[in-house]
Amino acid sequence: MQKYIYIALMLHLAACTSYVPLPHSSTTPILRARLEEPDVKIYLQHLENKYQHYVFDLEIDNQGSEAIYLSPQQISFYFSDQRFPRRELTEEGEKYKRLKRKQFVRKPIEVKELYEQKERSRATVATVFALVSVGMMVYDEAKDAKDRSRSHVTEKEVVRAATRDALVSIALTATDIAQKSTQQAQEDSYFLTNEIFTEGKIEACQRKRGKIFLPVGEGLRYLRMIVPIENKEYIFDFKHKGTE
């Protein structure tokens, strides 16, 4: 039992984690990582944590004369409790990669299915709360009517009536929250199509931007992301906000 509590706690802490870029040559705090080369510019930023995923904003600016192709599910990443080797140290970096578990960004279709599942489950919860609220209101009204028909009401019955009213109020509040949560999930699912980074070509002198989703890990302090474009890998290092 303690093991599962620990795992749940780690996932909760991970879900609250915010990652910021880790520059190797600058102490100036920045939120958006960037790599610039003559033919391409790449930008990455941690936006939020949602549905047990780290959501990053990825932008690629193709400044070359040829189209380039990117499959977001080929973007890989590693978590670590220690700083990663400098990207220039190839041999050390390769050794480190063999020691750590390599993971990949979610496929766009998987993210869409996740959002649709959340929308359905929240709608179900909202419906259940609504039915429970109606049932409690009917029961409370029937009990109140019975109490009003009596010539004398005891103190215990007054307490029970107050308790029923409180429970009805709580149920209505919970229903309202569940319905708002459902509406938010519906909006998220609706706008996701235009927000997610999809697989495909980026034509010359064009740019593409969208969200990519990383499954929440162990909540470790350091994160390295590797973005493969054509036959080259672009490396981005991040750290927990507040980590030295």
Side-chain angles (χ1 to χ4, degrees):
M1 177 63 71
Q2 290 181 340
K3 177 183 177 182
Y4 293 113
I5 293 176
Y6 175 78
I7 293 174
L9 178 60
M10 290 299 98
L11 288 175
H12 173 72
L13 292 176
C16 299
T17 297
S18 177
Y19 282 102
V20 294
L22 179 63
H24 288 286
S25 59
S26 173
T27 58
T28 304
I30 54 175
L31 295 178
R32 197 180 190 206
R34 58 189 289 174
L35 279 178
E36 297 187 3
E37 295 199 357
D39 291 338
V40 66
K41 294 182 179 179
I42 308 173
Y43 305 91
L44 261 176
Q45 181 179 350
H46 182 199
L47 298 178
E48 62 176 342
N49 301 332
K50 195 173 188 67
Y51 300 151
Q52 294 298 310
H53 284 74
Y54 301 119
V55 183
F56 278 76
D57 174 70
L58 171 64
E59 181 178 352
I60 298 179
D61 186 358
N62 180 11
Q63 298 187 325
S65 58
E66 301 289 339
I68 58 177
Y69 190 90
L70 178 65
S71 177
Q73 57 265 31
Q74 295 303 314
I75 298 174
S76 59
F77 60 94
Y78 301 83
F79 290 109
S80 174
D81 57 355
Q82 300 177 353
R83 284 196 180 217
F84 289 89
R86 292 175 66 88
R87 63 194 68 173
E88 295 86 355
L89 303 179
T90 306
E91 183 176 344
E92 183 183 358
E94 288 300 321
K95 179 181 178 182
Y96 190 92
K97 286 166 65 175
R98 289 196 297 271
L99 296 175
K100 293 295 179 179
R101 184 165 65 92
K102 185 177 184 180
Q103 301 182 67
F104 290 91
V105 169
R106 291 293 191 200
K107 297 178 182 179
I109 185 64
E110 293 176 338
V111 176
K112 291 179 181 178
E113 290 174 352
L114 170 67
Y115 270 60
E116 291 172 357
Q117 189 275 328
K118 291 295 182 180
E119 181 183 349
R120 291 192 298 269
S121 63
R122 292 190 178 187
T124 300
V125 170
T127 300
V128 170
F129 272 120
L131 293 174
V132 170
S133 297
V134 171
M136 292 181 67
M137 289 172 64
V138 171
Y139 176 76
D140 180 48
E141 180 59 31
K143 284 293 186 178
D144 287 346
K146 186 176 180 180
D147 290 342
R148 288 193 295 268
S149 66
R150 295 176 180 175
S151 58
H152 176 70
V153 178
T154 66
E155 182 178 350
K156 183 180 293 187
E157 290 168 339
V158 171
V159 172
R160 288 176 179 173
T163 301
R164 290 196 305 272
D165 291 341
L167 290 175
V168 169
S169 178
I170 292 172
L172 290 173
T173 300
T175 300
D176 183 57
I177 293 173
Q179 289 175 342
K180 289 180 179 179
S181 178
T182 301
Q183 292 172 359
Q184 184 62 56
Q186 290 171 341
E187 291 180 9
D188 291 341
S189 183
Y190 176 80
F191 289 111
L192 178 66
T193 302
N194 295 323
E195 293 178 344
I196 195 170
F197 200 108
T198 55
E199 181 176 1
K201 287 184 178 180
I202 306 174
E203 300 296 336
C205 300
Q206 298 292 320
R207 64 175 59 194
K208 187 174 183 178
R209 185 175 184 178
K211 293 179 178 179
I212 57 175
F213 292 74
L214 288 63
V216 165
E218 302 86 350
L220 299 178
R221 292 186 298 168
Y222 298 98
L223 166 67
R224 169 166 285 185
M225 296 179 64
I226 303 174
V227 181
I229 299 179
E230 301 299 329
N231 296 317
K232 188 170 182 179
E233 293 183 337
Y234 298 88
I235 300 174
F236 294 84
D237 286 336
F238 293 84
K239 65 176 182 178
H240 279 189
K241 188 175 182 180
T243 298
E244 296 297 330

